[in-house]
Amino acid sequence: GFAVALVVGYYRIPAVSAALSVLAEWQVRGGHLAAFLNRVVFSGIIPWLFMLSCRSVRPRRPLAVMMAVSVFCGTFGIVCEWMYLTHAAIFGTGIDVATLLKKTLSAQFIWTPLVFCLASAVFFFWVGCDFSFGRFRREGPEDFLERAMLPNLIANWMVWIPAIFVIHAFPTPLQIQLSGLVGSLWALMLLALGRSVSRDASGASPSSSSPS
């Protein structure tokens, strides 16, 4: 609902358009660096601050988690930038329903299963194992695709299908920047999911594996 209101405001309210145009200009000037820093802030630092404020989701090594997630998500910001630019080149920059659907379907049923979900499931499971490669090997469930990647993919679709449909209604530079807002929620979900899967795999009780 907020994203839809933002789209309407961008195209109908000059003040909103002017404010968001600053972000668009920064993305155009900054390129990869702007996309990287966007995800560092929204998917690394902001979720980290939230985790510090809530004991139930606070990691054992919070600084290490913040740094690792920031670098990982920042790198994904550059990959996402390339995805949005590729969509614009292939499908155009129109905001009609057909164009938005094509971009959404491409993002969620090509990019997400082949690129984003597998990498995210592996990385956040490793973070959930407290950065231990030994634990990663020992606790990695045999049904990893079912227990880690499939929940990741389903959660991704629930969050990102409506979000990315709306985000594609913005000009391409703004798509890259505004998708970071959803990235904050998404990073928190992945951190909780990775920790939950790692605890389940190590034999913890269901109650202790709950992220909340």
Side-chain angles (χ1 to χ4, degrees), residues 26-47:
W26 186 62
Q27 175 60 45
V28 171
R29 291 196 306 270
H32 294 335
L33 179 60
F36 180 87
L37 292 177
N38 174 276
R39 288 305 197 280
V40 167
V41 172
F42 286 107
S43 299
I45 296 175
I46 291 178

Side-chain angles (χ1 to χ4, degrees), residues 93-159:
T93 57
I95 58 172
D96 55 283
V97 173
T99 300
L100 298 182
L101 278 175
K102 290 175 185 177
K103 292 180 177 181
T104 301
L105 292 175
S106 171
Q108 294 305 303
F109 295 96
I110 297 177
W111 287 80
T112 293
L114 298 181
V115 179
F116 297 134
C117 257
L118 180 58
S120 295
V122 170
F123 173 77
F124 283 96
F125 178 72
W126 175 62
V127 173
C129 290
D130 199 26
F131 304 103
S132 169
F133 289 103
R135 281 187 59 190
F136 184 92
R137 290 193 298 270
R138 291 193 306 271
E139 298 176 11
E142 294 180 0
D143 52 349
F144 185 83
L145 292 180
E146 178 183 347
R147 294 183 58 185
M149 185 175 173
L150 186 59
N152 183 304
L153 182 61
I154 293 173
N156 188 300
W157 284 338
M158 293 178 66
V159 172

Side-chain angles (χ1 to χ4, degrees), residues 125 128 147 190-201 206 209-211:
F125 178 72
R147 294 183 58 185
L190 290 179
L191 283 164
L193 179 61
R195 190 174 67 167
S196 178
V197 173
S198 67
R199 287 184 176 180
D200 286 345
S209 67
S210 171

Side-chain angles (χ1 to χ4, degrees), residues 44-45 48-49 51-52 58-71 123 127 130-131 191:
I45 296 175
W48 176 72
L49 291 173
M51 292 168 64
L52 286 183
R58 187 179 302 163
R60 192 169 70 88
R61 294 195 286 177
L63 185 59
V65 169
M66 187 271 289
M67 294 177 64
V69 173
S70 293
V71 172
F123 173 77
V127 173
D130 199 26
F131 304 103
L191 283 164

